[in-house]
Amino acid sequence: MAESLELTQQGLDEIVDFLQASTDESIRLKEWLHFVVQNYVTKQQPIRIFSREGALAIASYLDLRGDATQISLKRVIALVDKYSVNQIDAKIRRALYENSSSLVSRNKRHWLNREDVVRIFITTSSRLEQAFRDIQRSDFPMRMNIDFEDYDGMRFFSLSGLEKLSIELSLKLRSEERRAYCKRVSEVAPPVLEFLAIAPSPDPKQIDKAMNFAKNRDQKTCQVTGAVRDKYNPRIELVGHHLYDKNAYHFLSADPDNILTIDKRLHEDFHQWHGGTQKTCTIDDFIDYVEWRYPDKHELILTLHNKQRVLMFKLAQVQRTLPESRD
């Protein structure tokens, strides 16, 4: 943001602080509307993430002062648009990771069942069925055994079928936000699903080895409560919790960085709080749980945020092996 506006980071912070404190409603920046605070370098140095409205408000203020060029304004708009697309793409990737349990390869094509496709598009079965019927009445209907197939009494869609659903929903949905999301599915889904189809799943022995390594690394101590199994606490049972679900994110299931040693009772409490062991979870969910259940565990919460950055970097490495889109 600072670079796009040809400012130093300090210069941008000073302008934002001024606009946030301003009593002039026409220029005042508001948290949650114009930006959110992602983290803090120090108590006085917040790390802000700007919305499209916030970026444009800052650019307009600089333009009003005569400090912005047309080139810098265009850069800001391009930067915000790219950030918005990246946010949508990240949301789609997560939906794909967490809703691809039905992914199979048949006849040199990758297929997902209807239930997974409904969840990926964040829609309903009836709305998906309506989109399918509309496509079948169009000049370019889906082709049996190419775009869709009925297998063992269940409807499946191929990557080309996903693309046709993506186009149909992006044109017909009422919400602009939903249309933008569905439009990006056709670009983001193919490389991710192709990766998931070939990504090796660690075998149980590799996962057990990683969990034992994590327990030894954590000195066989619950990293939340500090509980240790010894002669005074014989009922304590420690387990390795996968911060990113080992089924949905199977490529991280044998990575010790993705495993945290915790008390079994706490582990069960977390999953009950989250909605059950059948529900996919990520480190974001565990951080929310700890902040709710153990709000005074400041060092632990900081450690989890650090782990989050490490794991996000690893996920980004995986994603960088994939084409961003087919544009």
Side-chain angles (χ1 to χ4, degrees):
M1 178 77 169
E3 184 179 345
S4 296
L5 289 169
E6 300 174 350
L7 297 170
T8 64
Q9 185 61 55
Q10 181 180 349
L12 177 62
D13 286 342
E14 289 173 354
I15 289 169
V16 173
D17 290 341
F18 168 76
L19 293 176
Q20 189 178 1
S22 175
T23 56
D24 184 346
E25 283 294 320
S26 67
I27 64 171
R28 186 158 68 94
L29 294 184
K30 300 175 183 177
E31 188 172 358
W32 301 111
L33 173 61
H34 296 108
F35 66 89
V36 295
V37 176
Q38 184 186 47
N39 213 329
Y40 287 87
V41 178
T42 67
K43 289 183 179 179
Q44 288 74 38
Q45 286 184 287
I47 299 174
R48 300 180 178 95
I49 301 296
F50 296 95
S51 65
R52 179 184 177 85
E53 292 77 10
L56 294 178
I58 295 168
S60 297
Y61 171 73
L62 292 174
D63 187 38
L64 190 66
R65 287 196 336 185
D67 293 336
T69 66
Q70 286 299 312
I71 293 176
S72 64
L73 292 175
K74 288 179 180 178
R75 282 178 184 165
V76 169
I77 294 172
L79 180 68
V80 172
D81 288 344
K82 182 179 179 182
Y83 178 76
S84 298
V85 170
N86 287 343
Q87 290 294 99
I88 293 171
D89 289 359
K91 187 175 180 180
I92 293 170
R93 287 191 183 100
R94 176 167 177 171
L96 291 163
Y97 290 144
E98 297 179 1
N99 299 289
S100 57
S101 60
S102 66
L103 181 63
V104 294
S105 295
R106 282 193 293 267
N107 301 321
K108 298 181 180 180
R109 290 180 179 274
H110 301 309
W111 302 89
L112 284 172
N113 69 20
R114 186 208 310 263
E115 285 69 26
D116 276 344
V117 172
V118 165
R119 288 190 286 265
I120 288 166
F121 280 108
I122 317 178
T123 188
T124 63
S125 293
S126 60
R127 185 63 188 87
L128 192 79
E129 181 60 27
Q130 179 185 332
F132 177 76
R133 290 197 301 268
D134 289 344
I135 293 170
Q136 296 310 88
R137 288 194 292 264
S138 72
D139 293 334
F140 302 98
M142 288 201 196
R143 298 155 296 175
M144 186 69 167
N145 299 323
I146 296 177
D147 301 314
F148 77 100
E149 68 172 8
D150 294 321
Y151 189 83
D152 282 348
M154 189 175 295
R155 174 65 52 82
F156 282 79
F157 294 97
S158 68
L159 299 185
S160 59
L162 277 182
E163 182 175 10
K164 291 187 175 183
L165 288 168
S166 171
I167 294 170
E168 175 67 21
L169 291 169
S170 71
L171 292 173
K172 301 286 183 65
L173 292 174
R174 295 179 181 178
S175 164
E176 181 180 352
E177 182 180 349
R178 293 284 298 114
R179 291 198 303 271
Y181 176 94
C182 290
K183 182 178 181 180
R184 291 298 301 167
V185 170
S186 66
E187 303 296 337
V188 178
V192 173
L193 292 173
E194 285 166 7
F195 164 77
L196 291 175
I198 64 172
S201 294
D203 63 43
K205 288 183 179 179
Q206 290 175 301
I207 297 173
D208 288 343
K209 184 178 179 180
M211 293 176 77
N212 288 329
F213 178 90
K215 287 179 182 178
N216 288 323
R217 177 201 62 203
D218 296 337
Q219 299 180 325
K220 297 183 179 178
T221 302
C222 175
Q223 297 302 288
V224 177
T225 65
V228 179
R229 180 172 181 168
D230 54 24
K231 64 180 180 180
Y232 305 108
N233 300 287
R235 295 185 178 180
I236 295 293
E237 185 176 349
L238 299 174
V239 298
H241 170 62
H242 283 84
L243 296 166
Y244 278 94
D245 186 284
K246 67 180 179 181
N247 294 319
Y249 297 83
H250 60 85
F251 43 88
L252 290 177
S253 60
D255 186 335
D257 285 336
N258 189 40
I259 301 171
L260 190 73
T261 305
I262 59 175
D263 188 324
K264 183 179 180 180
R265 290 172 297 182
L266 186 149
H267 192 231
E268 292 170 349
D269 185 58
F270 162 71
H271 282 293
Q272 183 178 11
W273 170 85
H274 186 54
T277 54
Q278 77 286 348
K279 187 177 179 182
T280 297
C281 64
T282 71
I283 190 171
D284 300 340
D285 302 313
F286 194 71
I287 289 173
D288 288 344
Y289 168 78
V290 171
E291 289 179 336
W292 169 72
R293 181 73 86 182
Y294 304 93
D296 59 330
K297 298 280 187 178
H298 305 300
E299 186 176 342
L300 169 64
I301 292 168
L302 178 61
T303 298
L304 287 171
H305 278 289
N306 289 334
K307 276 185 171 288
Q308 182 186 45
R309 281 192 283 272
V310 170
L311 291 170
M312 286 299 292
F313 175 74
K314 291 189 175 188
L315 280 174
Q317 283 184 313
V318 169
Q319 292 170 7
R320 275 199 294 271
T321 66
L322 311 172
E324 285 299 318
S325 73
R326 296 175 295 165
D327 292 341

